[in-house]
Amino acid sequence: MPERDDLPRFPMARRPGFDPPAEYSRFRAECPVREVRLRHGQRVWLVTRYADVRRALSDPARFSSDPSRPGYPQLRPVRDEQARPGSFLVTDPPLHTRYRRLLAHDFAAGRIAGLRPEIERIVAGSLDRLRTAPQPADLLTEFAMPIPTQVTGVLLGVPYEDHEFFTSRSRAHLDRSLPADQVQAALTELEDYLDGLISEKLRAPGKDLLSRLADRYVRTGELEQDELVGMAVLLLVGGYETTTNAITLSVLALLEHREQWEALVAQPDLVDGAVDELLRYLGLTQHGLVRAVAEDVEFGGRTIRAGEGVVVSLSSANRDADRFADPDRLDVCRNAHGHLTFGWGTHQCIGQHLARVEMQVALRALVQHLPALKTVLPLEEIPFHFETPFYSVRELLVTW
């Protein structure tokens, strides 16, 4: 790419609410694959149309997830120069395939369906906590956060009494407004914690996922312990952060579009299908996914060279009118199949079935038991997190 100083800075500013940055609509129409500049001065290509995003995510041979590749986009305060052991999110096949294979059975749709009674029990407890809290109550801390924190803890075997430790380190690890040393320190503390926990499970295995993986693969030498630690970091952080935010923002979006909330109150069976529409609409993965280009490719009317970087915008793709009619409208009756919030291709989120079930159970409980739920503050006064890869609010005060 030729040197330019007038490139748009990425990520672009986002306003409170659910719409992606305003520039995305113009980019999709005029220049769907265009140059932008990242925080460290790096120039990369931003991909904004649905078809192009899917194509990039479906081609791991040419669009690599490996941070050691030339051109890998550096979005974080800490520069990612190589994949940490076990970090399947940033590895390519065949290593990525090996890691995913170890987890595939436990995250299959049928296996996750079997967890629904336990998830319903956890949601019922969170609902009781919310209903007995003084009003106004923070839906985030009283209801949404405890659900994935407990579910992930039960699944992985992470003690719930440690949740304040791992949730605080998880947030710091993902916060792109913090200095690099603080981000790195949070990750190191999280890795040290999980390393100790896995060592305990090797001594005394339980029935949880980390115990099974440690006993079956680490003990036999098929997996190094630091690889399992890396896998556990992704599962813990991803399982807690994304679903907490998805539940909270879903409630806020529905309450901001009251007719959509009332539709679910009247017909709670609509909730399961509404979850994918909410995932499409919310713009949860607000900074997109990054790839390094491994070989020259014609893409979106551009020639992208090997050694250049690409950022694919999932939130922009989910608002592409060529794929979703009237895409800026929330419609809980819409068939939003094919949205890209969980990514696409070989790296599609392994926890997507679990996230859907947690959201379905949580939203159904609220529309059935707290139909008069409402927010306290107008949307423009609600404090949002704009500096994290997963869009969220700092709190959501509600009454009922």
Side-chain angles (χ1 to χ4, degrees):
M1 297 181 214
E3 188 65 36
R4 291 177 55 186
D5 295 325
D6 60 344
L7 297 179
R9 303 288 170 164
F10 183 88
M12 285 82 185
R14 185 173 182 176
R15 298 191 305 270
F18 309 100
D19 292 335
E23 293 90 337
Y24 288 177
S25 178
R26 178 166 53 86
F27 291 169
R28 287 194 305 270
E30 300 175 1
C31 192
V33 178
R34 66 156 302 145
E35 297 170 80
V36 294
R37 191 177 297 277
L38 305 185
R39 64 186 303 149
H40 299 293
Q42 183 184 11
R43 291 172 297 119
V44 301
W45 297 99
L46 176 65
V47 181
T48 52
R49 282 183 182 168
Y50 181 94
D52 292 334
V53 169
R54 258 186 59 161
R55 180 186 167 196
L57 298 179
S58 302
D59 189 355
R62 286 188 287 188
F63 294 89
S64 170
S65 300
D66 183 350
S68 68
R69 292 267 195 170
Y72 185 86
Q74 301 289 339
L75 288 179
R76 302 195 320 125
V78 177
R79 288 181 177 270
D80 297 304
E81 296 181 351
Q82 62 180 10
R84 301 175 83 86
S87 296
F88 55 90
L89 190 65
V90 289
T91 55
D92 293 330
L95 183 57
H96 171 265
T97 307
R98 170 176 168 251
Y99 288 147
R100 290 276 296 220
R101 177 178 56 82
L102 303 182
L103 300 169
H105 172 72
D106 289 280
F107 287 92
R111 183 83 168 177
I112 296 302
L115 291 176
R116 186 176 283 265
E118 179 67 10
I119 294 171
E120 290 174 341
R121 182 191 67 78
I122 289 170
V123 168
S126 281
L127 183 65
D128 288 343
R129 181 186 303 105
L130 177 64
R131 293 168 81 175
T132 57
Q135 297 187 48
D138 181 8
L139 186 98
L140 173 67
T141 57
E142 298 294 340
F143 180 77
M145 187 184 297
I147 295 170
T149 304
Q150 291 182 72
V151 171
T152 304
V154 168
L155 180 64
L156 298 183
V158 178
Y160 181 68
E161 55 266 27
D162 295 338
H163 73 277
E164 290 187 6
F165 171 86
F166 68 75
T167 55
S168 65
R169 272 57 175 189
S170 169
R171 286 179 173 176
H173 167 50
L174 294 173
D175 192 335
R176 291 176 176 169
S177 70
L178 294 178
D181 59 341
Q182 292 185 32
V183 173
Q184 184 59 54
L187 176 58
T188 299
E189 290 181 15
L190 199 55
E191 289 174 331
D192 289 345
Y193 167 80
L194 289 166
D195 184 59
L197 184 64
I198 290 167
S199 293
E200 292 178 12
K201 293 179 184 300
L202 282 167
R203 289 191 293 269
K207 296 181 178 180
D208 55 84
L209 176 57
L210 291 184
S211 289
R212 290 198 298 276
L213 293 173
D215 190 54
R216 187 177 304 166
Y217 301 115
V218 176
R219 194 183 302 281
T220 61
E222 186 174 341
L223 200 64
E224 297 296 328
Q225 185 161 329
D226 62 351
E227 291 181 294
L228 182 54
V229 169
M231 295 168 73
V233 168
L234 290 181
L235 295 174
L236 184 63
V237 173
Y240 151 70
E241 284 286 346
T242 54
T243 310
T244 295
N245 301 337
I247 292 171
T248 310
L249 289 177
S250 291
V251 173
L252 177 56
L254 290 166
L255 295 180
E256 286 296 312
H257 299 82
R258 193 74 197 189
E259 77 287 354
Q260 302 294 307
W261 172 266
E262 297 296 345
L264 298 184
V265 169
Q267 294 182 266
D269 287 345
L270 292 176
V271 166
D272 287 4
V275 161
D276 275 298
E277 167 66 352
L278 286 160
L279 288 165
R280 180 199 70 83
Y281 178 78
L282 296 174
L284 286 164
T285 311
Q286 58 180 354
H287 298 166
L289 302 176
V290 298
R291 297 292 187 265
V293 180
E295 60 182 76
D296 293 0
V297 59
E298 295 294 324
F299 198 76
R302 302 280 186 173
T303 298
I304 303 181
R305 303 294 183 187
E308 295 181 340
V310 164
V311 176
V312 295
S313 175
L314 306 183
S315 60
S316 176
N318 282 336
R319 295 295 186 95
D320 189 339
D322 287 341
R323 177 59 180 83
F324 300 101
D326 197 5
D328 295 327
R329 181 171 62 90
L330 176 64
D331 179 2
V332 295
C333 295
R334 182 200 303 268
N335 179 357
H337 176 74
H339 70 79
L340 299 180
T341 298
F342 292 122
W344 197 262
T346 58
H347 280 277
Q348 193 169 33
C349 177
I350 198 168
Q352 62 175 299
H353 301 304
L354 180 60
R356 281 191 179 94
V357 172
E358 290 177 85
M359 291 177 67
Q360 289 166 359
V361 176
L363 294 177
R364 184 182 288 262
L366 289 175
V367 300
Q368 288 183 315
H369 297 286
L370 294 178
L373 192 70
K374 61 183 179 181
T375 56
V376 171
L377 297 175
L379 185 66
E380 59 272 14
E381 294 181 19
I382 293 173
F384 284 83
H385 280 291
F386 297 107
E387 65 282 357
T388 55
F390 305 123
Y391 195 42
S392 60
V393 293
R394 300 174 189 274
E395 68 175 1
L396 182 61
L397 298 179
V398 294
T399 60
W400 52 94

